[in-house]
């Protein structure tokens, strides 16, 4: 009895594919922001100068997103400008500090899958929050206490999804720049999660205190 040959899985994600993934992430964020604004008349991404630690963290997160964006631009710019291999422009990506040991098709494929799963879970969690979705603490307009769906499993599934997206982008574009952006993202979202929990406890009292006891912060 002959044994069927095993066909090796050979899927390579091009730099253009990584760029399209980043575009999909941007579109998902813009669409959800527009839907919440249409439902509430309020812009859900609260970034404004103030003395609040929470608002300073927003600027840090913007810097993190800028880090991933700059890395993508450095990666894709030679192709966009049709630069010939070996030119100074083609070597521009060296500024990002690429990790050559991780620049493997399998690693990039895992990164794209992880980022795509994170994007899907984040979109689902945002949908489950509905008009209550915010980036940051909205002290001016009370929002509902959401505890169903993914929020019954983790207190901050959206932030967890963001970390998944960041980890996936790091694997898809492994460099010192994306590693730094991911590390700062993890620390910042951890601090932001704790600030939001303290605020929600003052707003929703014993109901939220009970939620803290029964639901993990992450998983």
């Amino acid at each position: 009895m002959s044994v069927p040959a095993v066909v090796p899985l050979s899927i390579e994600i091009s730099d253009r594919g990584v760029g399209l993934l980043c575009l999909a992430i941007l579109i998902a964020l813009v669409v959800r922001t527009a839907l919440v604004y249409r439902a509430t008349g309020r812009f859900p991404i609260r970034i404004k100068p103030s003395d609040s630690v929470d608002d300073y963290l927003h600027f840090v997160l913007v810097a993190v997103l800028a880090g991933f964006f700059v890395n993508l631009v450095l990666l894709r710019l030679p192709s966009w400008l049709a630069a010939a291999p070996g030119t100074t422009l083609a070597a521009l990506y060296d500024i990002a500090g690429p990790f050559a040991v991780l620049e493997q098709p399998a690693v990039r494929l895992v990164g794209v899958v992880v980022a795509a799963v994170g994007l899907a879970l984040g979109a689902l969690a945002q949908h489950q929050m509905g008009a209550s979705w915010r980036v940051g603490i909205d002290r001016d307009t009370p929002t509902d206490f959401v505890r169903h769906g993914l929020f019954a499993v983790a207190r901050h599934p959206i932030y967890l999804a963001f970390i998944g997206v960041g980890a996936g982008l790091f694997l898809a574009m492994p460099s010192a720049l994306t590693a730094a952006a991911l590390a700062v993202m993890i620390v910042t979202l951890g601090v932001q999660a704790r600030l939001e929990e303290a605020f929600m406890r003052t707003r929703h009292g014993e109901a939220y205190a009970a939620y803290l006891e029964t639901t993990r912060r992450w998983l």
Side-chain angles (χ1 to χ4, degrees), residues 123-166:
L124 176 59
Q126 288 174 338
H127 174 72
Q128 290 172 345
M129 284 198 77
S132 294
W133 176 66
R134 298 287 189 277
V135 175
I137 299 173
D138 191 343
R139 295 178 175 84
D140 303 323
T141 306
T143 57
D144 294 334
F145 170 23
V146 179
R147 68 188 90 180
H148 62 274
L150 295 179
F151 293 88
V153 179
R155 298 177 213 158
H156 304 280
I158 295 177
Y159 290 167
L160 184 60
F162 283 173
I163 291 173
V165 170

Side-chain angles (χ1 to χ4, degrees), residues 57 155-156 159 187-199 208 217-218:
L57 290 178
R155 298 177 213 158
H156 304 280
Y159 290 167
V187 173
T188 303
L189 290 180
V191 174
Q192 180 68 35
R194 287 165 173 80
L195 291 174
E196 291 185 9
E197 288 170 8
F199 173 76
Y208 194 77
R217 176 174 289 123
W218 304 118

